[in-house]
Amino acid sequence: MVGSGEGDSSVAEAVGRELAAGGAVVVCGGLGGVMEAACRGAKEAGGHTVGILPGPDRAAANPFVDTAIPTGLGEARNALVVRAADALIAVGGGYGTLSEIALALKAGKRVVGLDSWDIEGVVAVADPAAAVAAVLGESLT
Amino acid sequence: MVGSGEGDSSVAEAVGRELAAGGAVVVCGGLGGVMEAACRGAKEAGGHTVGILPGPDRAAANPFVDTAIPTGLGEARNALVVRAADALIAVGGGYGTLSEIALALKAGKRVVGLDSWDIEGVVAVADPAAAVAAVLGESLT
Amino acid sequence: MVGSGEGDSSVAEAVGRELAAGGAVVVCGGLGGVMEAACRGAKEAGGHTVGILPGPDRAAANPFVDTAIPTGLGEARNALVVRAADALIAVGGGYGTLSEIALALKAGKRVVGLDSWDIEGVVAVADPAAAVAAVLGESLT
Amino acid sequence: MVGSGEGDSSVAEAVGRELAAGGAVVVCGGLGGVMEAACRGAKEAGGHTVGILPGPDRAAANPFVDTAIPTGLGEARNALVVRAADALIAVGGGYGTLSEIALALKAGKRVVGLDSWDIEGVVAVADPAAAVAAVLGESLT
């Protein structure tokens, strides 16, 4: 399972598609932008998506979220996205994404970055296929 | 969607089965006892189950949970179970269940009780079929 | 430390005053009504008050809160009020108060009720002095 | 109000002392290391300290915390530290501190760093006096 944040939508869609193709559930913050793109990609590949929302209302989830969890916790829900994930693929560079990177590294989880923050511990990769391979532990050959 | 608590396992299993048969997703606290029974019932009927766990580890979910959310919030996760549900079927009478009943009534959600707390606002019913009918808005005739 | 909920303001003010006089810190939800009355009473007696707020903004605290904690957790903050308290004095009968009673009983903390919910485990008392005595463990004679 | 994280204890103690001398309440995570040093400094200067703890037990607070809030939320409590603060002084460079920096910047709060993460938006300063001046809005001359 993997969460993601702000960034390039076509990249995020490809990440979602590859994750689902690899058998992973896509976990994210459930809103629009990159989160929606990742969910859309996962659904194209027949995957399952989980959106852990900041607000109290399930209706705020993007239309590609299968299981919406309306936490009502605001940004504190970022900690829940990280807990629900086995590893994190960070796409792009918002501060919300940075908080998830930090919490995942603190928890000892693998963090892979695609055009994201240059933080010690983040594995920077060049494209969605490499990101998903790094997370799912498959060989790249 | 519906959460539930401590109580009679065979009753909870029937509630889960009827909910799934009616097309509802079963949301619960994800642990054992009545929560496990409700999830087992839902899976027997081909439904989808969500477990919102108190601890930080997905492995604590019972084996019939499809989507496990390890919140790490302790009992504060009861508020998330209630938020994720459209209505609540309370089975039995523990204090955790009582806190969920209270939060659901505060949020203006329908609460149906099966051998549960006698609180103003809780609709007491006699059996699982009546509970699910009351929650899914079907006629009992 | 003690939390409280909806109910009679003059009763709550007396509870706050007696708690402060007994050396206890008053912990509550930090908003108006009974919560404000309890804090006002505590300040009259020179005590310290803590308000654990549902919203993200400290400005929502009533003017008698010394330490305001703006959680942004919504009703999930009720669990934090209970965790922060050594015992609970429930004043009156709202559903928010009921959820705090349930969480406190689940955690094995003493719960004293003043014209509040009639739940197994709640010690019903007749007046603020008896409530505070029951919580602080003093003799009533 | 200000939170802080891992790093140099003598620096943190000076930050706490200066904050208290400037009339600010010191808010932090309430545990040991830099958090304890900041609280100790604040108490030396007669200030008030608040510790927002990850665990459910108030006893985990360091001895210089005046008001301990045992959240039981784990690392999700970092979001509450940030919410409770008007600005953040980050001391040193752990991942927990990084998550607080990210959440504070996301919320539009001022973040000042003392030998901390080099993140866009963090105001790096050279010593505790400059950090407190930057946060309390005083002139440095």
Side-chain angles (χ1 to χ4, degrees), chain A residues 60-100:
Chain A
N62 74 62
F64 304 101
V65 170
D66 292 320
T67 303
I69 308 291
T71 66
L73 303 178
E75 292 298 319
R77 74 80 153 81
N78 293 5
L80 273 64
V81 172
V82 169
R83 279 175 187 152
D86 293 322
L88 191 114
I89 298 180
V91 180
Y95 288 130
T97 300
L98 179 58
S99 75
E100 292 171 335

Side-chain angles (χ1 to χ4, degrees), chain A residues 19-130:
Chain A
L19 281 168
V25 172
V26 172
V27 181
C28 71
L31 300 176
V34 152
M35 296 178 266
E36 179 166 344
C39 290
R40 188 172 55 235
K43 295 310 295 177
E44 287 164 7
H48 188 79
T49 60
V50 176
I52 301 183
L53 298 158
D57 186 358
R58 214 161 57 222
N62 74 62
F64 304 101
V65 170
D66 292 320
T67 303
I69 308 291
T71 66
L73 303 178
E75 292 298 319
R77 74 80 153 81
N78 293 5
L80 273 64
V81 172
V82 169
R83 279 175 187 152
D86 293 322
L88 191 114
I89 298 180
V91 180
Y95 288 130
T97 300
L98 179 58
S99 75
E100 292 171 335
I101 289 172
L103 291 168
L105 290 172
K106 172 126 192 178
K109 296 186 179 183
R110 173 164 282 217
V111 178
V112 175
L114 267 166
D115 196 20
S116 187
W117 293 91
D118 179 21
I119 298 292
E120 186 184 336
V122 175
V123 179
V125 294
D127 57 56

Side-chain angles (χ1 to χ4, degrees), chain C residues 119-136:
Chain C
I119 298 292
E120 186 184 336
V122 176
V123 179
V125 294
D127 57 57
V132 172
V135 153
L136 298 183

Side-chain angles (χ1 to χ4, degrees), chain B residues 74-79 95-96 98-100 103, chain C residues 75-83 88 96-109 111:
Chain B
E75 291 298 318
R77 74 81 152 81
N78 293 5
Y95 288 129
L98 180 58
S99 76
E100 292 171 334
L103 291 168
Chain C
E75 291 298 319
R77 76 78 154 83
N78 293 5
L80 271 66
V81 172
V82 169
R83 279 174 187 153
L88 191 115
T97 300
L98 180 58
S99 75
E100 291 171 335
I101 290 171
L103 291 168
L105 290 171
K106 171 126 193 177
K109 296 186 178 182
V111 179

Side-chain angles (χ1 to χ4, degrees), chain D:
Chain D
M1 289 200 207
V2 172
S4 68
E6 299 88 358
D8 185 290
S9 281
S10 66
V11 168
E13 187 168 348
V15 168
R17 204 184 303 120
E18 300 263 354
L19 280 168
V25 172
V26 172
V27 181
C28 70
L31 300 176
V34 153
M35 297 178 266
E36 180 166 345
C39 291
R40 188 172 54 233
K43 295 311 295 175
E44 287 164 6
H48 187 80
T49 59
V50 177
I52 302 183
L53 298 158
D57 186 358
R58 214 160 57 221
N62 73 63
F64 305 101
V65 169
D66 292 318
T67 303
I69 308 291
T71 66
L73 303 178
E75 292 297 318
R77 75 83 153 76
N78 293 5
L80 272 65
V81 173
V82 169
R83 279 174 186 152
D86 292 324
L88 190 114
I89 298 180
V91 180
Y95 289 130
T97 300
L98 179 59
S99 76
E100 291 171 335
I101 289 172
L103 291 168
L105 290 171
K106 171 126 192 178
K109 296 187 177 181
R110 171 165 285 218
V111 178
V112 175
L114 267 165
D115 195 20
S116 187
W117 293 90
D118 179 22
I119 297 292
E120 186 184 336
V122 176
V123 180
V125 294
D127 57 55
V132 173
V135 152
L136 298 183
E138 299 164 356
S139 160
L140 284 170
T141 56

